[in-house]
Amino acid sequence: MPAQVRILLSTIFCSFTVNYSIVPLKGKPKSKTLLSFSLWLSQKLPIFMAASLRFNPTSIPSLYPISTYKSFTPVRCGPRDNRGPLVKGRILSTEAIQAIQSLKRAQRNSSSTATVTPLPSLYRLIKSDLLAALRELLRQDQCALAVHVLSTVRSEYPPPDLSLYADVVVALARNHLKDEIDGLIEEIGSIECDDEKALVRLIKGVIGAGRKESTVRICGLMKENGVGSRKRVGEYVVKVLSKGLRRFGEVDLALEVEREFGELSRVNSDKLTIY
């Protein structure tokens, strides 16, 4: 038994004994031994009381320990409209989120009713919000809504980057919407070959979807932009385009592309090597 517990019990016993000795029971006289013992206890009582004041009751182990565990109910916030978790580096503004929700709401109303609900206008959004909404819709495979956003970008901020067309074409091919690819390529007025990575992605997406007419149109747009006469493209672009044309049976056009596009590339590369 701990020393502090013993002191506490002794104090309680002493106080009980003193009270018993001072207030005798009726009809029972106090003996000399009890009186002397009571006198001794009355002298030692301050010592026991001081020890009891230094006693810390919290140090006594309890028979029923109180658990310090606090129960709580976890709160989980689920994604809205079945959106996945945010990806690192992908930030959506409040305006972009509201635009996406309004587009989805209009699409649901059109599918649930016989009347076609027009998609809301997005002209109030700035370019960064439009691009963020476009990429988010492509990530969710909402291709029809993404094409609508791309048309807004094309009308408000012409000409749009070729990488945007490449992203939309890849998403359309992934969702087996091949007819929409032809309509999208028809809307392209010209192709700037400055971004060759985006051009290669666009050509690969069209060829992978099996769109022969769109591949031929891309080849014609490159010629209209001066590729082969005054501009050059990388050899890899020529190789991808020629291979795709051969795949569709356009051997003559593939040879023409290799002769015109590839010859200029080789001449320019030779000049760069000499100088």
Side-chain angles (χ1 to χ4, degrees):
M1 181 180 297
Q4 294 177 345
V5 178
R6 290 198 300 268
I7 294 174
L8 178 61
L9 295 177
S10 301
T11 304
I12 296 173
F13 175 75
C14 292
S15 61
F16 174 77
T17 307
V18 170
N19 294 333
Y20 179 79
S21 60
I22 295 174
V23 184
L25 296 177
K26 294 181 180 181
K28 291 185 179 181
K30 296 184 289 185
S31 62
K32 294 182 179 180
T33 305
L34 185 58
L35 289 174
S36 60
F37 181 70
S38 300
L39 180 62
W40 178 81
L41 286 178
S42 62
Q43 295 175 356
K44 300 295 183 181
L45 183 59
I47 300 176
F48 289 112
M49 293 297 294
S52 64
L53 291 176
R54 293 193 302 268
F55 171 66
N56 186 12
T58 59
S59 61
I60 303 177
S62 176
L63 297 177
Y64 302 98
I66 301 175
S67 176
T68 59
Y69 176 79
K70 297 181 179 180
S71 61
F72 64 95
T73 303
V75 178
R76 296 182 176 89
C77 298
R80 180 177 295 180
D81 291 339
N82 295 325
R83 291 192 299 119
L86 290 177
V87 181
K88 183 179 180 180
R90 181 172 60 86
I91 301 176
L92 294 176
S93 63
T94 304
E95 290 76 10
I97 294 175
Q98 291 177 353
I100 293 172
Q101 291 176 351
S102 62
L103 290 173
K104 287 185 175 181
R105 192 179 303 111
Q107 188 182 45
R108 286 194 297 267
N109 294 335
S110 298
S111 60
S112 60
T113 59
T115 58
V116 178
T117 303
L119 295 177
S121 175
L122 302 176
Y123 293 107
R124 59 183 178 81
L125 297 180
I126 61 177
K127 186 176 181 180
S128 60
D129 291 336
L130 285 173
L131 297 180
L134 175 62
R135 293 189 176 93
E136 177 64 18
L137 290 172
L138 291 176
R139 190 187 69 85
Q140 300 180 20
D141 287 335
Q142 298 288 341
C143 298
L145 302 180
V147 172
H148 176 71
V149 177
L150 180 61
S151 64
T152 305
V153 175
R154 183 173 60 248
S155 61
E156 289 293 309
Y157 305 96
D161 296 335
L162 194 62
S163 60
L164 298 178
Y165 286 98
D167 294 338
V168 176
V169 167
V170 171
L172 290 173
R174 183 173 62 249
N175 290 273
H176 308 287
L177 301 174
K178 300 180 179 180
D179 295 336
E180 284 76 1
I181 294 177
D182 295 334
L184 185 65
I185 300 301
E186 285 292 333
E187 295 176 356
I188 300 178
S190 63
I191 291 182
E192 297 292 337
C193 302
D194 299 333
D195 191 356
E196 293 189 359
K197 291 183 178 180
L199 180 59
V200 169
R201 290 181 62 242
L202 178 65
I203 296 173
K204 285 186 175 181
V206 173
I207 294 174
R211 312 314 294 173
K212 175 181 176 180
E213 293 78 5
S214 297
T215 306
V216 175
R217 175 168 174 76
I218 290 175
C219 182
L221 291 174
M222 292 174 64
K223 287 184 178 181
E224 293 176 2
N225 194 35
V227 177
S229 59
R230 63 181 184 275
K231 292 184 180 180
R232 63 176 293 270
V233 291
E235 295 182 0
Y236 185 67
V237 177
V238 178
K239 181 179 178 180
V240 171
L241 184 58
S242 174
K243 186 177 180 180
L245 292 172
R246 291 177 183 275
R247 175 182 174 182
F248 296 133
E250 297 290 338
V251 181
D252 296 337
L253 185 57
L255 293 174
E256 182 181 353
V257 168
E258 292 174 358
R259 183 175 61 256
E260 295 182 2
F261 298 173
E263 183 178 357
L264 182 63
S265 300
R266 287 192 296 270
V267 170
N268 290 337
S269 59
D270 292 340
K271 290 181 180 180
L272 291 174
T273 304
I274 293 173
Y275 294 101

